[in-house]
Amino acid sequence: MSTDLDLVLRAPRAVTPAGETSCSVGVRGGRIAAVEPLDVPLRAEQVVELSADEVLLPGLVDAHVHVNEPGRTEWEGFASATRAAAAGGITSLVDMPLNSVPPTVDVEALRVKRKAADRQCFVDVAFWAGAVPGNLGALRSLHEAGVSGFKCFLLHSGVDEFQPLDPAGLEQAMAEIAAFDGLLIVHAEDDATIDAAPRPHGPRYSDFLASRPGTAEDTAIARVIDLARRTGCRAHVLHLSSGEALPLVRAARRDGIRLTVETCPHYLTFAAEEIPAGATQFKCCPPIRERDNRELLWQGLAEGTIDTVVSDHSPCTPELKRLDTGDFGAAWGGIASLQLGLPAVWTEARARGHSLVDVARWMATGPARQAGLAHKGRIAVGADADFCVLAPEESFVVDAARLHHRHALTPYAGRRLTGVVRGSWLRGRRLDIDEEPRGVLLTRGET
Ligand SMILES: [Zn+2]
């Protein structure tokens, strides 16, 4: 029996790859060194007993976060975003390549990004790069530099310095990425479909929704599937909102196409019918759709067609949300929710009969695998000792002012959620957001 452990967590309830169990988890040198039944004595310098109302989960991995630093640090930054993550039970996040300036589209920009992040992250951080017009020659070197994969848009991204790929550019990017077996992650909304839809304007949510029809997603996803079939490129659909696209995904998978799909807490929580006029804190692209569509997404998760749930945390300054006019056409599209993902998803998941085993698969194990973070996302020997301690029966009302991301604005404000994060552990040490940050910068595939 190991006697040289640094830490033992004794958990009457824990989620491991074997399911929900009671166990003792032994930690040595920041890694999990033992997972034993609770009655097997494990000795360590520090022993932590979880209480009967707590569950030990793997630290969550949020594979879709817009940190926006450097360049738009007044919107969000590494210190504030990773504080929010730590408070929300997220121990690793993967930063998106756009909204920061420069966008992460070549190795030099990645160096600038990593330098900006260095020594101010409270949780571990990995990076996505971008596939944009003109950077085909940079993709392989970015892959070799350890990015998790490449994000592209098929329509205007919202910022001019990150341009979309046209159909020919998309095919070239996928052929190149397939050549080194990388991963393309796609904002899948079709340009032409959205151009043909009415312009978004004014404070009525239904007008905004009509400007971003679900068929735009379905068309774009069909194009990605077609090119994945032709090029062999692994592809991932970001922030799926249209439940109507799920049959396409099912059929592609049946054909052996390597395609994964994520959705977000806001698509699983809110419904278009309930969004008040002028409430631009609910604006994101693709948009939150109707109640029936939300249930299709839940069905997609239940059957495994949707693999992961990630925040798509994309905040901005309060002014850019145009709350004064409530104009959905003029407001920035992006939802701030990083710290709330776990309670938001758990609140809705338990109401539909799902377990914390499901939630851990969607929010820890799945995103870690997708982003190539080999030692994250599970409570198993050899993995990093990253944990989230959740009180799953306790509830709270969201007070936006007490969240740690930069601006106190979120569509969850005032909402009662079930599941309180009591603490997080990063590589064997309890996370304290008032201490020095200890997060490190991760590279794909690192063991
Ligand atoms: Zn995003």
Side-chain angles (χ1 to χ4, degrees), residues 123-173:
V123 304
D124 290 353
V125 174
F127 300 93
W128 298 108
V132 295
N135 84 331
L136 201 59
L139 302 183
R140 186 181 286 267
S141 52
L142 280 161
H143 179 75
E144 284 164 1
V147 299
S148 286
F150 301 91
K151 180 176 193 174
C152 73
F153 279 75
L154 308 180
L155 78 179
H156 191 267
S157 72
V159 294
D160 290 335
E161 71 277 0
F162 195 100
Q163 287 291 314
L165 294 175
D166 63 17
L170 178 64
E171 178 159 10
Q172 286 172 341

Side-chain angles (χ1 to χ4, degrees), residues 23 59 99-100 123 130 140 181 207 225 247 306 321 371 392 408 423 430 443:
C23 63
N99 303 349
S100 58
V123 304
R140 186 181 286 267
D181 199 27
D207 289 339
I225 289 170
I306 299 175
K321 274 297 192 184
R430 200 181 173 97
T443 56

Side-chain angles (χ1 to χ4, degrees), residues 64 66 96 151 239 312 314:
H64 193 151
H66 295 267
M96 279 292 164
K151 180 176 193 174
H239 45 51
D312 192 9
S314 185

